[in-house]
Amino acid sequence: MGTGYLDQLKQEAFEVNMGIVRERLVVLTWGNASSFDRTKGIFAIKPSGVSYSLLKWQDMVLVDLDGNVIDSKLRPSSDTLTHLEIYKGFSSVGGIVHTHSPWATIWAQACKSIPILGTTHSDHFNGDVPCIPYLVKDKVENAYEKETGIQIVKFFEEKKLKPIHMPGCLLSGHASFTWSETSSQAFENAIALESCASMAYHSISLNSKIKFPKYILDKHFSRKHGVNSYYGQK
Amino acid sequence: MGTGYLDQLKQEAFEVNMGIVRERLVVLTWGNASSFDRTKGIFAIKPSGVSYSLLKWQDMVLVDLDGNVIDSKLRPSSDTLTHLEIYKGFSSVGGIVHTHSPWATIWAQACKSIPILGTTHSDHFNGDVPCIPYLVKDKVENAYEKETGIQIVKFFEEKKLKPIHMPGCLLSGHASFTWSETSSQAFENAIALESCASMAYHSISLNSKIKFPKYILDKHFSRKHGVNSYYGQK
Amino acid sequence: MGTGYLDQLKQEAFEVNMGIVRERLVVLTWGNASSFDRTKGIFAIKPSGVSYSLLKWQDMVLVDLDGNVIDSKLRPSSDTLTHLEIYKGFSSVGGIVHTHSPWATIWAQACKSIPILGTTHSDHFNGDVPCIPYLVKDKVENAYEKETGIQIVKFFEEKKLKPIHMPGCLLSGHASFTWSETSSQAFENAIALESCASMAYHSISLNSKIKFPKYILDKHFSRKHGVNSYYGQK
Amino acid sequence: MGTGYLDQLKQEAFEVNMGIVRERLVVLTWGNASSFDRTKGIFAIKPSGVSYSLLKWQDMVLVDLDGNVIDSKLRPSSDTLTHLEIYKGFSSVGGIVHTHSPWATIWAQACKSIPILGTTHSDHFNGDVPCIPYLVKDKVENAYEKETGIQIVKFFEEKKLKPIHMPGCLLSGHASFTWSETSSQAFENAIALESCASMAYHSISLNSKIKFPKYILDKHFSRKHGVNSYYGQK
């Protein structure tokens, strides 16, 4: 294993890219993850269209915030510019996971936000996970992946959503993105999103009028997040 | 492996904590199990927020019925006080399993009890598995986990449910608890609950007017439980 | 491994009992299988309530058609008398599988037959898989398992169903039985039943008015069964 | 492993036949795959009704476009003539996969095309995946498998669908076929079809009025296909 700093970044991104396959969030090559070093302004991301069964950590592609590939013969993921815009727009984000995980994608295709219905959801996402509208035609045709990232950032700004309190979103007709301070936390959020998406689908079919109390949402989110958190070992 | 009595208690709790992950009742760290020694008044429970992949039996935290941690540097599960109140309130219970297993949680989020629709269910639960209402606001804010346990005990008393005949419940907007005389039986009840929750969801969508006869319920429950039971090797 | 004739019967039954767990048709101990030697009038069946993880082929219990246990310290499955009545009533049957496999049980709990909607189903079952009504109260209370077997046989006689053309059924509020000339074929039918039960559930929710043509049903059933069959290597 | 040309064709077909089982697209023996060498006019296909657990690459059966078996003691798949007609009718196809994968079959049994609802689908299939009507009675009775292949080809001609842009279809009351230039790509299309079938089922139940924009469909299909594609490493 490499020991240099950028090798570590590649290894970190590699671990998460393999994790999303192992956890069945990714079928075929429908997903990618990246790890960002904000001090250096460089992120490591999966190469485009390479089969997960052949992937090595050395294959991760380093990209700077201008979109330049650093020292790699492989092309980065076709979704690279979306990752880049999220890193530029969300200053606290250090890792991003994009997957077509089935249940999150089911909501995305339905163009619906995932409603918050219980404490599993509120431990990770402080409210409904928003579904962002279809991009308009000329943005799709001219700079699809870049515009997708820009649209995510703009949506969060307009809705006054904090990226760390709402560490993910759906894209209409497409799939999901999750993020966090590190890529391994972004990976946990991707797992949580998929579980919550599945449970929400079925819970609303049992009861279309669920009103999950705000005070339980707040309690659970604050058990795990913020200065008064008391979950875990610290 | 340790040989002392409390080590055995830790090992017992550890086995069940690992079992609920292996059986896919737990995703990430969404669950915990405990084993209780009623003669000593001490239970062993999972430490809070520790990844299952790193867990060792020695990490189980011993807690007495006043909530004191005995000889451990780790903090016990954030749900410890719920376990504690159940042990205090249900005198026949020796093991408790808490999971966010998907199908049980789907019913809990829908704030609905799981109806008894067949013999799989009646072999384990002598009637509908009740869903307990949301806790009121000031109980959530002041002593959430303790109040959750108190509410479960009070609900069973008010409804005249025997904890050994109805060894589990749902909590609205949250997830499930199961219990039994031992933690390994509580684990079996957690598996049964998840299967029955899934099957009930789908059966009522095929036929919303199922009336499972009381005499078959009684027959199946008594095949496995009580003085005239004839299932198994004793 | 034993070499005597009855040891072979036990081994055959053991293989199928392990198979239904491996294929996830059985959770916990919710299922059992038996192999019948019609010339000797003896069948081998799983012992009652023994965990599958501990089961050995030597544990299979031999039972004759009068219900006598032959040379075993273990009690046979609590469902033994149901198997026995099916062997007595269906003269071509040499193996029986009983499982609470989820999708078949979902239909059984809904008290509905599984409609034939496609060729996967018609390759194995020559029509809707019938759901037999709840047993009446005094039969449940007096000789539940024996009456269950008698009811299956009587139902097939009344409906003029041939057990080899319709090698299985559901029991209302309970679960499924499949059978065939051998226990390994009965196992295949249990796998097919579970797949068809799941697919039928979802297909009718997409289209409640499916009319699968009788001539395709007949074609597919006759590709695999009867004198003009041309599927497989003989 | 054999080194001759036809041995390679057998090995290629064998790999895909094992893959469709490993990916759980096939239960029991409900599926088969073939690889075609258009220059020689010969394809290799699974033998009929042989259990996947016993299958060896040497068992693959070679068949020419007149339906003659070349140098094999095993009978080819009962669906061989369907494969043959597709190879004759679609001049760009070099590999075919037939499976009763559950979600695709659910749509086929419902006699409904799988609607295009998102980018996962449009990366592989350039529009709704069509469901072809039931064959009429005398075609089923006289030359079922051959007529099935003829019907697929005719349907695509009538609807002006290009087989490489729409590399698969459903057959009413039956199951799915996918294809591509190679059998390994046909296998990927079978995996994609199953995922898209499942996601479409659930998305339309959340929102029956989804209108996936044509310009996003076109963008995604052209990212992966055609002269301006920029997905992957070439």
Side-chain angles (χ1 to χ4, degrees), chain C residues 144-161:
Chain C
Y144 176 53
E145 294 81 7
K146 183 184 175 69
E147 293 290 357
T148 298
I150 289 171
Q151 192 192 27
I152 292 171
V153 173
K154 194 179 285 180
F155 184 93
F156 272 62
E157 282 169 4
E158 283 171 14
K159 303 290 182 186
K160 300 196 193 326
L161 292 166

Side-chain angles (χ1 to χ4, degrees), chain C residues 58-142:
Chain C
Q58 292 90 342
D59 296 335
M60 297 297 111
V61 181
L62 298 170
V63 182
D64 71 20
L65 286 191
D66 297 320
N68 299 310
V69 169
I70 297 166
D71 189 28
S72 173
K73 284 170 196 154
L74 294 171
R75 289 156 66 167
S77 165
S78 57
D79 296 310
T80 294
L81 295 181
T82 310
H83 289 243
L84 188 154
E85 291 298 328
I86 294 172
Y87 286 129
K88 277 168 63 178
F90 293 165
S91 63
S92 49
V93 169
I96 297 172
V97 168
H98 167 54
T99 82
H100 291 222
S101 64
W103 288 104
T105 303
I106 283 161
W107 285 93
Q109 291 189 156
C111 306
K112 294 204 169 180
S113 301
I114 303 173
I116 185 164
L117 304 177
T119 64
T120 325
H121 185 123
S122 66
D123 280 346
H124 291 265
F125 303 97
N126 195 18
D128 298 352
V129 177
C131 186
I132 297 178
Y134 295 124
L135 267 185
V136 295
K137 188 173 182 184
D138 72 284
K139 290 186 178 177
V140 167
E141 289 174 352
N142 293 320

Side-chain angles (χ1 to χ4, degrees), chain B:
Chain B
M1 301 275 274
T3 51
Y5 186 78
L6 293 172
D7 282 352
Q8 248 183 293
L9 198 66
K10 285 185 180 183
Q11 288 163 17
E12 204 181 297
F14 174 72
E15 289 304 325
V16 174
N17 274 294
M18 296 311 288
I20 56 181
V21 174
R22 191 181 61 243
E23 295 290 323
R24 300 179 168 277
L25 302 177
V26 167
V27 169
L28 295 172
T29 56
W30 305 338
N32 46 70
S34 68
S35 290
F36 184 42
D37 176 11
R38 193 164 289 278
T39 61
K40 297 236 167 36
I42 291 174
F43 61 95
I45 192 166
K46 185 180 173 292
S48 182
V50 173
S51 166
Y52 277 97
S53 63
L54 302 173
L55 208 59
K56 301 188 299 297
W57 71 261
Q58 292 90 341
D59 296 334
M60 297 297 112
V61 181
L62 298 171
V63 181
D64 70 20
L65 285 191
D66 297 320
N68 300 309
V69 169
I70 298 167
D71 187 27
S72 173
K73 283 169 198 155
L74 294 170
R75 288 157 66 167
S77 165
S78 57
D79 296 310
T80 294
L81 295 181
T82 310
H83 289 244
L84 189 154
E85 291 298 328
I86 294 172
Y87 286 129
K88 276 168 64 177
F90 293 165
S91 62
S92 49
V93 169
I96 298 172
V97 168
H98 167 54
T99 83
H100 292 222
S101 64
W103 289 105
T105 303
I106 283 161
W107 285 93
Q109 291 189 158
C111 306
K112 294 204 170 181
S113 301
I114 303 173
I116 185 163
L117 304 177
T119 64
T120 325
H121 185 122
S122 66
D123 281 346
H124 292 265
F125 303 97
N126 195 19
D128 298 352
V129 177
C131 186
I132 296 178
Y134 295 123
L135 267 186
V136 295
K137 188 173 182 185
D138 72 282
K139 291 185 178 177
V140 167
E141 289 174 352
N142 293 322
Y144 176 52
E145 294 82 6
K146 182 183 175 70
E147 293 289 357
T148 297
I150 289 171
Q151 191 193 28
I152 291 172
V153 173
K154 195 179 281 181
F155 184 92
F156 272 62
E157 282 169 3
E158 283 171 14
K159 303 289 183 185
K160 301 196 192 325
L161 292 166
K162 292 185 192 170
I164 292 304
H165 287 187
M166 180 52 63
C169 69
L170 306 178
L171 297 169
S172 288
H174 187 174
S176 70
F177 278 84
T178 56
W179 49 74
S180 192
E181 290 164 18
T182 66
S183 56
S184 80
Q185 287 169 330
F187 174 36
E188 289 200 5
N189 287 333
I191 294 172
L193 183 68
E194 184 65 1
S195 281
C196 292
S198 171
M199 296 198 298
Y201 176 92
H202 295 99
S203 289
I204 61 164
S205 107
L206 280 177
N207 180 356
S208 60
K209 295 183 180 152
I210 303 168
K211 296 276 178 220
F212 182 60
K214 179 79 166 57
Y215 59 86
I216 302 182
L217 185 171
D218 290 338
K219 173 70 181 177
H220 266 262
F221 194 78
S222 66
R223 288 211 308 180
K224 286 207 172 175
H225 302 266
V227 290
N228 295 315
S229 70
Y230 58 96
Y231 183 91
Q233 294 302 326
K234 279 227 273 194

Side-chain angles (χ1 to χ4, degrees), chain A residues 117-169:
Chain A
L117 304 177
T119 64
T120 325
H121 185 122
S122 66
D123 280 346
H124 292 265
F125 303 97
N126 195 18
D128 298 353
V129 177
C131 186
I132 296 178
Y134 296 123
L135 267 184
V136 296
K137 189 174 182 182
D138 73 283
K139 290 186 177 177
V140 167
E141 289 173 353
N142 293 322
Y144 177 52
E145 294 82 7
K146 182 183 175 69
E147 292 290 358
T148 297
I150 290 171
Q151 191 192 28
I152 292 172
V153 173
K154 194 179 284 180
F155 184 93
F156 272 62
E157 282 168 4
E158 284 172 14
K159 303 289 181 185
K160 301 194 194 323
L161 291 166
K162 292 185 191 169
I164 292 304
H165 287 186
M166 179 52 62
C169 69

